[in-house]
């Protein structure tokens, strides 16, 4: 019963008008093929694949789930066929380097593809999606031989890959990793240990799975400084890439989860499985962190996907379901009642979903440009500038967009009333599926510590200063004092945005000073601070979209309603969503005392 | 893996110290048996039943769900045995009138029982719980014969009852009800139609089910003024209460739902089922509304139950799970890492759960006294005063407590990290189960319209004035100008509470004025207004609990830490939760324009 149409007009608006993506692509000769015509054609084909092949498997996949049978995992009906189509269509290789079988399209294009796939069927999209982590690892840290052996197959999609980090005793705190790697003396290692929560850790879509595994070498230092990375295939592979013996990576079970049921979450037992070291000894975590940001932005996307799918479906329902009359008088006197979209509270939920979907999409596509810049940078300064920006904005995207995406999914369920709670309609699935997004790839709490602790305090606010400089420059450029022809209309956005940014800077400084006296200030303020930052950042993108829309409307453009809708949604965002910062400002500045003063034993008297 | 201990110390604190329940019971000779000794003994026994019989069935019931087999519904393993124990123990009849087989204990005591049952196993508790609606209907509107025939069996628990309101085309908008009632000329009616979402509509716990059905008589006026109430048993019943023929009430299917899977949600087809009219013709909705408030308070309780269960379990986990080190230095240097409870963000989630569980409990137990007062009132003035207060506070309790209960359940899942997403731990079940609570018995949006539209605007703010008068009297009594021996300590609560109440009054007046010009102001502000009200109301109860705790600590009391914990949780509430009103104040006062200005067609461009 779920329906989905890829929001191509919105994606093109971001590509063409808001972020000048084609100007951006032209900076890099590698991307000369990424012309508007080709990109548009890719979008259209991708939309078809997602709407026609992936969406129909979303609810059936949830219902059927994965089956575990004596170490084997059977994915839901249709998953393998869709995967084959995906590989045949060259989708997996789209935005990977040509030298290993990729098509050399920009990574940012991969993000648009990921959005459509993830909205149509997040669980399915995780199988090819997880490969990107493994591919990035091999690409960045692998030897030439490792790249030739593994990267090509991963790029084609012949094999998939995983990231094996978590163990039963540790997820966030990877310093506790126990999995061992014993050298065999021939350049290979015997890997032994148990990894849990391994997405796509076992499945029937491909003949082999390449695991990237965190493990400890003998005598390695304790904690995070003694962890190395290994490539451990499920099936052994000879030098030519032929599959050999089983490599003792066995799937002990798959998890019975709240959602993303069609995505297999495996317990993997490594029992003297043969692996090779990738990257330097004991530098496994550093190596992983080089593309942690990209993985996290990929998870942030799940929030946008859930919001979009929930929005599309609840909008259709709100136009059809008849209940009560508008308080301002009958809107459909010929019907037994008015459609619920006439009720302001339903409209509020819909507008909130719209604001989060489109605002979140803008935040993602802005960030995707940074990923292009990092990969293509011609010198270290350029690379570092883009990397710093990415590192700053990533925790905001990951935590904020998954939190508001979860909210949006819940609005969708709520708009359906009791029917939202019934599986048939597919709305409760969206809520269950998206609920994982604030947990994996670092919980909201971890993202918040990363933002406030590492990205703000540790850099003495440098990244924040750089970013707010960009925002304030935009404000100045569009303000009443500028030559912006739309400055009068933009004033309603520029003023609160400037004020919000100024407060953001102020609060950051005040928190930094407080944190010097009491380190618990960081953890006590961090999540509220992150959400505060998220609302300000999203306001910046809504202001940019409004400006672009005014510019389009000033010309002789088609689809004028589209741009009007943008502006009015921006107004809604500034009026109804941005004021959430008021409460967050109050709570993040509150003394940690009231949080921490209660002894553990005093929390319960049972 | 879920654990639960009934929070008896907290319940007794409310009964003895905060609300002086025994003084309240002494007002009514009918309640002379409700002495502290007896009530405490009932609490202890009830706690045992819930902890030992109901809790173990909570996760198994979720996993197994109800089975539908050719019209029959089989409840999960153990449900029937637990129900028999419940009936044998006299629990169903506890707080019902003696004349129909009840034990005559106060309704408020039934609320405490319902809390423990509902926390241990909400799905199970719905079977006996739904009976109360049917019992109240027969009690209030039935003839003597109807009471003798149906009420006695329902009170014993020999049969259960349901409320059959919703139909496929309408839930909220009951004016659209189509089910027909054709008179047979002998005082009976043939009822035909389809009812959906009927909780406990079919099951195997009892031999008969008594349905209270909304239907239309021939020629009845359209809309809500043409609906009558009927008693329609699943099996026909003779004058002596013996079960006869099947009465053509067939269960067409049960819903596959997000949660409360062990509670059967039935589609019921009435095919010339025999029924009798209860209450006056065409006054069905009015009759139902007489106890709508009690039913809604019973649903509000689900928020508290979910919050409590989530809190208890996440607190245990947070003390055990080791991850990372406290930013203020190692707390458990002998362990591989510190327990996550040392992290301020985890602590914040726990404190939020604690504040909502205990604050919500206080709101419920305050309200339960009003229900006693209504049932026992010696004159119409007293009854009306209690009924007005109940009518005012009910939508706040229903919507606010289910919303914050859902939040609390989600914090529980979040504290468990990835493990919270796995069924085994039982945390995701709490999230799924509680998610229905903001939908049934009137969605949050409907409660909000009831509060702002009917209870505030229609009464010109009378009920609000009455309630705020009570709060301001409390503030005055405990203020720095009073003789309250704890006034210095209480000042930190009294000042923000008084200010909050003053703002609440101000905003209400301003909204009333705005609504005169534009009726969409009501729906546009209502949900934020309701949540705003909820936070203020809960602050009042936290202030009362703090005052009571200070009073206890001034004496020579045991368990001093319990009272200290109360005060510190009150401080947390005022510091970290109450400031949420700031954003709500801004958004509820925003112009409806930004919500409503966008034409329906401009909401999407797909």
């Amino acid at each position: 019963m779920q329906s989905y149409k890829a929001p191509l007009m919105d994606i093109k608006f971001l590509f063409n008008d808001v972020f000048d993506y084609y100007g951006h692509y032209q900076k890099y000769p590698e991307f000369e093929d990424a012309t508007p015509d080709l990109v548009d054609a890719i979008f259209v084909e991708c939309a078809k694949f997602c709407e026609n092949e992936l969406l129909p498997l979303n609810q059936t996949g949830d219902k059927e789930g994965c089956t575990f049978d004596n170490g084997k995992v059977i994915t839901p009906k249709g998953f393998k066929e869709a995967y084959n189509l995906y590989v045949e269509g060259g989708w997996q290789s789209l935005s990977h380097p040509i030298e290993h079988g990729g098509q050399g399209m920009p990574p940012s294009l991969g993000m648009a593809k990921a959005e459509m796939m993830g909205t149509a069927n997040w669980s399915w999209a995780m199988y090819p999606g997880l490969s990107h982590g493994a591919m990035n690892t091999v690409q960045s840290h692998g030897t030439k031989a490792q790249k030739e052996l593994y990267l090509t197959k991963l790029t084609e999609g012949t094999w998939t890959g995983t990231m094996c980090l978590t163990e039963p005793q540790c997820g966030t705190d990877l310093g506790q990793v126990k999995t061992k790697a014993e050298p065999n003396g021939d350049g290979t290692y015997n890997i032994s240990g148990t990894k849990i929560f391994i997405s796509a850790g076992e499945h029937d879509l491909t003949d082999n799975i390449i695991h990237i595994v965190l493990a400890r070498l003998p005598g390695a230092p304790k904690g995070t400084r003694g962890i190395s990375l290994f490539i451990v295939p499920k099936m052994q592979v000879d030098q030519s890439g032929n599959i050999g013996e089983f490599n003792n990576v066995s799937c002990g079970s798959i998890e019975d989860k709240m959602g993303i049921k069609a995505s297999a979450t495996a317990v993997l037992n490594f029992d003297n499985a043969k692996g090779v070291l990738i990257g330097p000894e004991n530098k496994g975590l550093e190596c992983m962190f080089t593309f942690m940001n990209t993985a996290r932005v990929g998870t942030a996307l799940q929030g946008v996907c859930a919001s979009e799918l929930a929005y599309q479906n609840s909008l259709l329902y709100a136009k059809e379901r008849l209940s009560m009359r508008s308080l301002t008088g009958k809107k459909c006197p010929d019907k037994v009642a008015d459609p619920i979209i006439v009720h302001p509270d339903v409209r509020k939920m819909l507008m909130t979903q719209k604001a989060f979907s489109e605002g979140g999409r803008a935040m993602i596509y802005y960030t995707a440009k940074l990923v292009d810049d990092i990969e293509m940078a011609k010198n270290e300064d350029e690379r570092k500038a883009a990397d710093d920006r990415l590192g700053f904005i990533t925790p905001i995207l990951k935590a904020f967009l998954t939190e508001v995406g979860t909210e949006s999914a819940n609005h969708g369920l709520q708009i359906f009333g009791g029917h939202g709670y019934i599986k048939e309609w597919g709305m409760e699935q969206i809520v269950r599926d998206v609920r994982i997004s604030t947990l994996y790839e670092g919980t909201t709490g971890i993202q918040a510590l990363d933002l406030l602790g590492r990205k703000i305090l540790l850099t003495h606010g440098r990244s924040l200063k750089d970013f707010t400089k960009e925002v304030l420059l935009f404000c100045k450029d569009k303000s009443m004092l500028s030559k912006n022809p739309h400055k009068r209309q933009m004033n309603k956005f520029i003023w609160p945005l400037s004020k919000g940014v100024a407060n953001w800077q102020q609060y950051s400084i005040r928190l930094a000073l407080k944190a010097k006296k009491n380190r618990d200030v960081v953890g006590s303020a961090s999540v509220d601070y992150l959400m505060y930052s998220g609302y300000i950042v999203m306001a910046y993108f809504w202001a940019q979209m409004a400006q672009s829309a005014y510019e389009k409307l000033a010309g002789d453009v088609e689809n004028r309603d589209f741009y009007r809708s943008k502006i009015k949604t921006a107004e809604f965002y500034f009026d109804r969503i941005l004021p959430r910062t008021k409460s967050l400002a109050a709570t993040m500045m509150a003394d940690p005392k009231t949080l921490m003063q209660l002894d553990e034993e005093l929390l319960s008297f049972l």
Side-chain angles (χ1 to χ4, degrees), chain A:
Chain A
M1 303 278 276
Q2 288 169 347
S3 69
Y4 171 60
K5 294 274 167 219
L8 295 183
M9 205 185 292
D10 201 40
I11 294 174
K12 285 185 199 172
F13 171 64
L14 296 176
F15 260 67
N16 297 326
D17 306 314
V18 185
F19 297 129
D20 182 24
Y21 250 97
Y22 298 105
H24 161 76
Y25 288 158
Q26 279 171 8
K27 285 191 301 184
Y28 304 111
E30 295 88 339
F31 296 159
E32 64 175 1
D33 289 347
T35 60
D37 282 354
L38 181 64
V39 169
D40 282 358
I42 290 173
F43 285 160
V44 167
E45 284 307 309
C46 187
K48 273 192 213 164
F49 175 73
C50 296
E51 294 165 7
N52 301 336
E53 305 299 332
L54 297 186
L55 181 73
L57 301 177
N58 195 34
Q59 281 183 273
T60 57
D62 176 63
K63 195 170 179 185
E64 194 183 333
C66 287
T67 314
F68 180 73
D69 179 18
N70 197 23
K72 290 199 190 313
V73 170
I74 300 128
T75 55
K77 205 177 153 205
F79 269 46
K80 194 172 163 62
E81 290 74 8
Y83 186 78
N84 291 343
L85 280 179
Y86 171 81
V87 172
E88 284 160 23
W91 291 111
Q92 182 70 331
S93 62
L94 182 70
S95 49
H96 287 276
I98 291 171
E99 54 184 310
H100 298 292
Q103 296 173 54
M105 285 287 121
S108 50
L109 214 57
M111 195 63 86
K113 175 193 81 171
E115 188 209 324
M116 296 185 220
M117 281 169 35
T119 312
N121 195 330
W122 187 266
S123 287
W124 183 92
M126 284 182 74
Y127 294 99
L130 263 289
S131 285
H132 293 297
M135 287 153 90
N136 285 332
T137 314
V138 181
Q139 175 74 34
S140 305
H141 307 291
T143 61
K144 192 161 173 288
Q146 287 169 346
K147 286 183 195 175
E148 276 167 18
L149 192 56
Y150 297 108
L151 198 52
T152 313
K153 301 272 189 191
L154 288 167
T155 303
E156 294 163 359
T158 311
W159 301 339
T160 65
T162 75
M163 300 302 300
C164 298
L165 287 60
T166 302
E167 301 185 2
Q169 76 285 359
C170 65
T172 297
D173 190 1
L174 291 169
Q176 294 185 46
V177 156
K178 287 181 185 166
T179 296
K180 286 179 187 166
E182 300 276 349
N184 292 322
D186 62 352
T188 68
Y189 296 80
N190 277 357
I191 312 289
S192 296
T194 299
K195 295 286 179 180
I196 64 166
F197 297 168
I198 308 308
S199 298
E202 178 58 44
H203 59 73
D204 55 0
L205 303 181
T206 56
D207 297 332
N208 207 357
I209 302 173
I210 309 305
H211 305 290
I212 307 290
V213 183
L214 288 185
R216 288 183 183 284
L217 289 166
K222 281 189 181 176
T224 52
R225 286 177 195 153
I227 297 175
S228 307
L229 268 184
F230 298 86
I231 304 179
V232 189
K234 169 181 156 187
M235 306 296 292
Q236 290 184 5
V237 175
D238 72 13
Q239 303 274 338
S240 322
N242 299 310
I243 289 181
E245 298 277 287
F246 178 58
N247 193 25
N248 296 325
V249 183
S250 52
C251 177
S253 61
I254 54 173
E255 304 289 353
D256 189 6
K257 308 186 299 295
M258 182 184 198
I260 54 166
K261 285 168 180 282
S263 165
T265 306
V267 174
L268 290 184
N269 300 312
F270 294 82
D271 184 16
N272 285 322
K274 267 203 181 168
V276 290
L277 183 71
I278 177 165
E281 287 186 5
N282 299 331
K283 299 279 181 198
L285 282 192
E286 284 96 321
C287 288
M288 265 198 22
F289 270 108
T290 51
F291 53 87
M292 185 70 98
N293 288 328
T294 339
R296 287 181 168 175
V297 174
T299 310
L301 188 60
Q302 190 176 2
V304 179
C305 293
S307 184
E308 177 69 28
L309 188 60
Y311 177 55
Q312 289 196 18
N313 284 276
S314 46
L315 177 59
L316 290 174
Y317 188 78
K319 287 179 177 177
E320 280 171 14
R321 176 76 177 180
L322 305 176
S323 184
M324 314 299 283
R325 291 295 183 184
S326 163
L327 289 181
T328 56
K330 289 185 186 182
K331 296 291 175 286
C332 301
D334 52 323
K335 291 188 177 154
V336 63
D338 289 333
I340 60 174
I341 198 170
V342 307
H343 304 310
D345 177 52
V346 172
R347 187 72 71 114
K348 180 154 67 94
M349 291 191 276
L350 290 168
M351 290 298 290
T352 303
Q353 292 177 307
K354 185 175 194 291
F356 288 154
S357 302
E358 297 174 11
R361 180 172 299 119
M363 286 165 72
I364 294 277
Y365 286 29
Y366 167 87
T367 306
K369 276 173 85 171
L370 298 173
V371 178
D372 289 347
D373 289 337
I374 292 167
E375 294 213 1
M376 295 297 142
K378 295 299 170 242
N379 58 59
E380 181 54 21
D381 282 356
E382 278 181 18
R383 202 201 58 77
K384 197 173 174 325
D387 198 46
D388 275 356
R389 174 62 51 84
L390 180 68
F392 170 72
I393 205 149
T394 292
I396 300 178
L397 258 65
K398 162 64 171 77
F400 176 74
L401 291 181
T402 57
E403 293 286 345
V404 301
T406 304
E407 177 187 329
S408 212
N410 272 292
H411 288 317
L413 194 161
Q414 191 73 20
I415 289 167
F416 273 70
H419 296 275
Y421 199 66
I422 307 296
K423 301 226 156 189
E424 187 184 350
W425 293 88
M427 299 308 287
E428 59 86 44
Q429 183 194 347
I430 307 174
V431 173
R432 284 185 292 105
D433 284 354
V434 74
R435 189 62 187 82
I436 188 64
S437 65
T438 68
L439 296 162
Y440 59 12
E441 286 295 333
T443 62
T444 297
I446 292 300
Q447 305 299 331
L449 280 181
D450 181 44
L451 176 67
L452 185 55
R454 296 186 61 206
K455 306 295 167 56
I456 305 281
L457 301 184
L458 224 59
T459 70
H460 303 288
R462 184 174 42 75
S463 306
L464 174 68
K465 251 177 262 163
D466 287 349
F467 185 76
T468 51
K469 205 169 135 188
E470 175 183 319
V471 183
L472 292 174
L473 197 65
F474 169 84
C475 290
K476 198 179 143 206
D477 263 9
K478 313 301 173 201
S479 77
M480 289 301 280
L481 302 172
S482 74
K483 290 183 179 163
N484 177 18
H486 314 291
K487 60 187 178 186
R488 279 177 205 288
Q489 296 113 306
M490 282 299 288
N491 195 40
K492 60 182 170 290
F493 306 124
I494 296 303
W495 170 238
L497 178 59
S498 320
K499 208 174 113 191
V501 169
N503 287 337
W504 189 18
Q505 292 169 324
Q506 281 294 320
Y507 289 129
S508 305
I509 294 166
R510 283 170 57 192
L511 282 175
L513 294 173
K514 280 170 158 239
K516 277 192 185 168
K517 290 182 200 149
N518 178 359
R519 293 299 293 169
D520 271 340
V521 163
V522 182
S524 142
S526 54
V527 170
D528 290 340
Y529 178 82
L530 183 143
M531 293 303 290
Y532 182 95
S533 309
Y535 288 115
I536 302 283
V537 171
M538 193 178 263
Y540 169 45
F541 288 97
W542 268 113
Q544 287 179 73
M545 289 193 280
Q547 170 72 26
S548 297
Y550 282 124
E551 287 169 15
K552 297 299 283 186
L553 286 169
D556 183 23
V557 72
E558 286 184 354
N559 300 313
R560 303 183 71 80
D561 279 346
F562 174 86
Y563 304 102
R564 291 192 187 109
S565 175
K566 275 287 166 205
I567 293 162
K568 288 176 178 175
T569 309
E571 288 174 10
F572 167 83
Y573 183 86
F574 275 79
D575 232 36
R576 296 265 171 175
I577 304 291
L578 190 57
R580 294 186 185 184
T581 48
K582 286 179 194 281
S583 295
L584 292 166
T587 51
M588 77 191 179
M589 300 311 292
D591 196 303
K593 190 182 71 180
T594 49
L595 272 185
M596 306 306 286
Q597 64 182 353
L598 209 50
D599 287 344
E600 271 178 50
E601 302 76 51
L602 268 63
L603 279 163
S604 177
F605 297 87
L606 297 176

